[in-house]
């Protein structure tokens, strides 16, 4: 489909009461503008142009980071003077030289619009029969939306804004304008300059293009989206929360249809780019953010948050926070463990309660059961780390590495001062500070002599 998407994202978003661009606010961990851009790319649009204005640098940064590797180039055009939607489209057309093919104009605060809706919308103007179409919907409560009035032939006659509706029109006209338009690109390019600012606000309004095209002898129509939620926008924090709940329910329903169990779907927040395998159970207060992918037969939560984590099959992640980590098969984590970026847990590894792992590999079947910190470490298979053990990897200026060989036993409360290498089948005594390399099969003990002072309690009491 040789279609171009123009996404309007230049507005102030004053009702959000925010220091950030409205379209940068997140739904399920993903900025709103990315939801819209992704829908256009998945719909098959070959060009995506985002018109930025307020907080332009912030929006550009989001797009540059998200689509640096995209096969579809996401372009940005700045609307330095924000003179209305018609002006924004004219700026985009001129800067990017769009002169043909279907052009869909969407708002950047429409995060629920689906790719199939965008694809079908663009196709309405692909065969040359219609010069423009308006995306319409019938929400349960139409108050606040422009109403679509059709003529006797079922062709759009005009759009009546809420404030201009008579009581009868407000009651009878239930088809609402979602604020999105599809145009024949050649006709849009030819006539966009005909939009004037002859109105009370002195702005160029894109809906005026409908009457301009009709006056030039071209047909215009509507495309009704079956799911009215596709056309819902975000103008306030309350609406952001409402649309987040809708997005959550859409995603969770899809996952349940694919064989995932949710103990309480209303208490699990799964991002649009996350995946979960069948027979996995999702407990309440679970969050999967970004490119998180979980395998089959897992237990997630309760109280688990994973961001850009890849987990295999049959894992149990209880009260686990994981960021940019890889978890292989049959791994158990938690409760209350923290997997920081660069963590790699191999098959059958166990990370227990109050354990923090950072930029480390935990070998097959190795265990860090409780109250430990492991950082910048490569650990072999079958290792057991006693409670309260720490790799002292930071000297105040640089980070240093620790290696632990296969089947080694680290006694409780062992301090491993990096850089240090502990061999395979070795043992460290409890309470030791290991500063030197430990050979394979060796026992490393570092302790001061224990002193016993008899009668100390009575002596102390006598001094008080």
């Amino acid at each position: 489909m040789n279609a171009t998407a123009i996404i309007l994202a230049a507005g102030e978003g004053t009702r959000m009461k925010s220091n950030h661009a409205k379209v940068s606010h997140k739904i399920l961990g993903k900025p709103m503008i990315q939801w819209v851009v992704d829908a256009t790319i998945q719909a098959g649009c070959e060009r995506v142009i985002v018109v930025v204005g307020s907080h332009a640098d912030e929006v550009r940064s989001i797009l540059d980071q998200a689509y640096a590797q995209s096969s579809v180039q996401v372009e940005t055009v700045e609307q330095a003077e924000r003179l209305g939607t018609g002006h924004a489209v004219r700026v985009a057309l001129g800067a990017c030289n769009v002169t043909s093919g279907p052009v869909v104009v969407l708002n950047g605060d429409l995060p629920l619009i689906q790719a199939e809706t965008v694809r079908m919308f663009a196709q309405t103007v692909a065969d040359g029969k219609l010069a423009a179409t308006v995306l319409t919907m019938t929400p349960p409560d139409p108050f606040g939306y422009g109403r679509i009035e059709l003529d006797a032939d079922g062709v759009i006659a005009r759009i009546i804004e809420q404030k201009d509706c008579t009581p009868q029109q407000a009651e009878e006209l239930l088809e609402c304008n979602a604020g999105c338009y599809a145009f024949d690109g050649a006709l849009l390019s030819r006539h966009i300059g005909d939009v004037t600012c002859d109105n009370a606000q002195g702005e160029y309004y894109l809906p005026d293009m409908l009457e301009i095209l009709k006056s030039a002898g071209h047909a215009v129509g509507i495309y009704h989206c079956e799911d009215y939620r596709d056309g819902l926008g975000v103008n306030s924090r309350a609406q952001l929360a409402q649309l987040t709940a809708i997005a959550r329910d859409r995603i969770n329903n899809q996952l349940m249809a694919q064989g995932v169990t949710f103990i309480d779907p209303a208490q699990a927040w799964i991002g649009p780019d996350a995946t979960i395998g069948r027979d996995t159970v999702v407990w309440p207060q679970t969050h999967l953010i970004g490119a998180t992918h979980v395998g089959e037969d897992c237990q997630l939560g309760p109280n688990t948050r994973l961001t850009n984590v890849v987990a295999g099959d049959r894992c149990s992640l209880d009260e686990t926070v994981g960021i940019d980590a890889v978890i292989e098969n049959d791994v158990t984590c938690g409760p209350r463990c923290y997997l920081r970026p660069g963590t790699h847990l191999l098959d059958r590894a166990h990370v227990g309660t109050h354990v923090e792992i950072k930029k480390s590999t935990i070998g097959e079947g190795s265990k860090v059961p409780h109250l430990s910190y492991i950082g910048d470490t490569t650990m072999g298979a079958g290792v057991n780390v006693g409670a309260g053990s720490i790799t002292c990897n930071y000297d105040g200026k640089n980070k240093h590495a620790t290696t632990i060989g296969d089947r080694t036993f680290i006694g409780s409360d062992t301090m491993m001062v990096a850089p240090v290498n502990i061999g395979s089948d070795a043992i460290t005594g409890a309470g030791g500070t290991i500063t030197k390399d430990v050979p394979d099969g060796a026992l490393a003990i570092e302790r001061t002599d224990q002193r016993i002072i008899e009668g100390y309690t009575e002596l102390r009491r006598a001094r008080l």
Side-chain angles (χ1 to χ4, degrees):
M1 180 174 62
N2 183 28
T4 298
I6 297 176
I7 301 173
L8 307 183
E12 294 281 352
T14 53
R15 280 181 281 175
M16 294 294 288
K17 299 291 191 288
S18 177
N19 296 323
H20 302 279
K22 178 170 72 170
V23 297
S24 73
H25 287 264
K26 295 179 179 180
I27 287 182
L28 299 176
K30 185 172 188 174
M32 278 193 286
I33 187 63
Q34 285 184 238
W35 287 73
V36 185
V37 171
D38 284 354
T40 63
I41 293 174
Q42 292 164 12
C45 293
E46 295 183 0
R47 297 187 71 183
V48 179
I49 303 164
V50 180
V51 181
V52 298
S54 177
H55 301 87
D57 290 342
E58 180 181 30
V59 179
R60 280 199 197 95
S61 177
I62 291 170
L63 297 172
D64 289 346
Q65 185 174 5
Y67 301 102
Q69 306 300 321
S70 173
S71 59
V72 176
Q73 183 181 2
V74 178
E75 307 166 65
T76 58
V77 174
E78 184 164 0
Q79 185 187 19
E81 291 185 279
R82 289 178 283 287
L83 303 176
T85 53
H87 177 257
V89 171
R90 189 172 71 192
V91 168
L93 294 174
C96 298
N97 192 31
V98 178
T99 58
S100 63
V103 176
V104 291
V105 181
L106 309 174
N107 294 316
D109 61 358
L110 244 63
L112 300 184
I113 194 163
Q114 299 177 89
E116 182 63 11
T117 299
V118 176
R119 187 183 70 82
M120 296 296 293
F121 189 37
Q123 286 184 347
T124 60
V125 294
D127 60 7
K129 294 180 181 179
L130 293 175
T133 54
V134 182
L135 187 67
T136 67
M137 60 181 181
T138 52
D141 181 5
F143 183 82
Y145 291 99
R147 310 300 173 81
I148 304 295
E149 186 177 60
L150 303 177
D151 62 21
D153 297 325
V155 176
I156 184 169
R158 59 177 175 153
I159 301 172
I160 308 172
E161 296 303 323
Q162 173 71 43
K163 65 180 183 299
D164 299 322
C165 282
T166 66
Q168 183 179 0
Q169 289 170 331
E171 182 178 351
E172 295 179 354
L173 300 178
L174 302 180
E175 194 80 12
C176 296
N177 178 17
C180 301
Y181 304 87
F183 295 99
D184 177 291
L187 294 174
L188 176 64
S189 179
R190 185 184 310 162
H191 291 285
I192 190 66
D194 298 338
V195 178
T196 69
C197 60
D198 186 18
N199 52 61
Q201 285 73 32
E203 293 188 354
Y204 299 85
Y205 292 131
L206 187 61
D208 292 350
M209 276 296 301
L210 301 176
E211 195 59 41
I212 290 170
L213 291 169
K214 287 168 63 179
S215 298
H218 302 290
V220 301
I222 65 169
Y223 176 73
H224 177 81
C225 57
E226 293 299 326
D227 189 340
Y228 76 91
R229 299 173 297 182
D230 281 26
L232 297 180
V234 174
N235 290 301
S236 66
R237 305 280 181 157
Q239 289 176 334
L240 181 69
Q242 291 163 5
L243 267 63
T244 296
I246 292 172
R248 176 203 63 206
D249 292 345
R250 272 184 175 179
I251 290 170
N252 292 354
N253 286 334
Q254 290 172 357
L255 289 168
M256 285 188 284
Q258 295 166 8
V260 177
T261 294
F262 285 81
I263 301 300
D264 184 350
Q267 293 196 65
W269 291 266
I270 313 301
D273 300 318
T275 61
I276 306 176
R278 64 173 59 191
D279 294 319
T280 285
V281 178
V282 181
W283 291 78
Q285 299 302 321
T286 292
H287 306 249
L288 304 189
I289 302 167
T292 292
H293 305 289
V294 177
E296 299 183 353
D297 288 299
C298 294
Q299 296 281 331
L300 300 180
N303 303 320
T304 287
R305 174 165 54 89
L306 307 179
T307 303
N308 300 323
V309 169
V310 176
D313 299 333
R314 300 173 302 279
C315 294
S316 176
L317 309 178
D318 180 9
E319 291 189 71
T320 296
V321 174
I323 302 170
D324 297 320
V326 175
I327 301 169
E328 296 192 2
N329 302 306
D330 302 292
V331 171
T332 56
C333 293
R336 295 173 295 282
C337 73
Y338 183 20
L339 310 179
R340 291 171 57 188
T343 294
H344 186 177
L345 308 182
L346 275 62
D347 289 352
R348 303 185 311 282
H350 170 64
V351 176
T353 185
H354 299 293
V355 173
E356 180 178 350
I357 310 289
K358 173 257 180 185
K359 198 179 178 181
S360 296
T361 297
I362 308 301
E364 290 188 23
S366 290
K367 301 176 182 179
V368 188
H370 31 230
L371 302 167
S372 294
Y373 168 73
I374 304 296
D376 297 282
T377 297
T378 301
M379 186 183 298
V383 174
N384 191 309
V385 177
S389 295
I390 293 174
T391 56
C392 307
N393 56 328
Y394 185 49
D395 64 7
K397 183 178 181 181
N398 298 307
K399 299 289 179 69
H400 300 282
T402 297
T403 61
I404 303 173
D406 297 340
R407 300 172 302 279
T408 284
F409 180 87
I410 303 297
S412 296
D413 196 31
T414 295
M415 304 293 109
M416 293 161 275
V417 182
V420 68
N421 301 303
I422 301 173
S424 298
D425 299 298
I427 298 174
T428 67
T433 299
I434 306 303
T435 60
K436 299 175 182 178
D437 289 353
V438 180
D440 293 350
L443 169 65
I445 301 176
E446 187 277 328
R447 293 175 182 160
T448 57
D449 292 337
Q450 180 174 316
R451 295 176 60 200
I452 303 293
I453 301 177
E454 298 285 352
Y456 177 77
T457 300
E458 293 299 325
L459 291 172
R460 184 171 180 272
R461 287 173 180 166
R463 295 193 191 107
L464 296 179

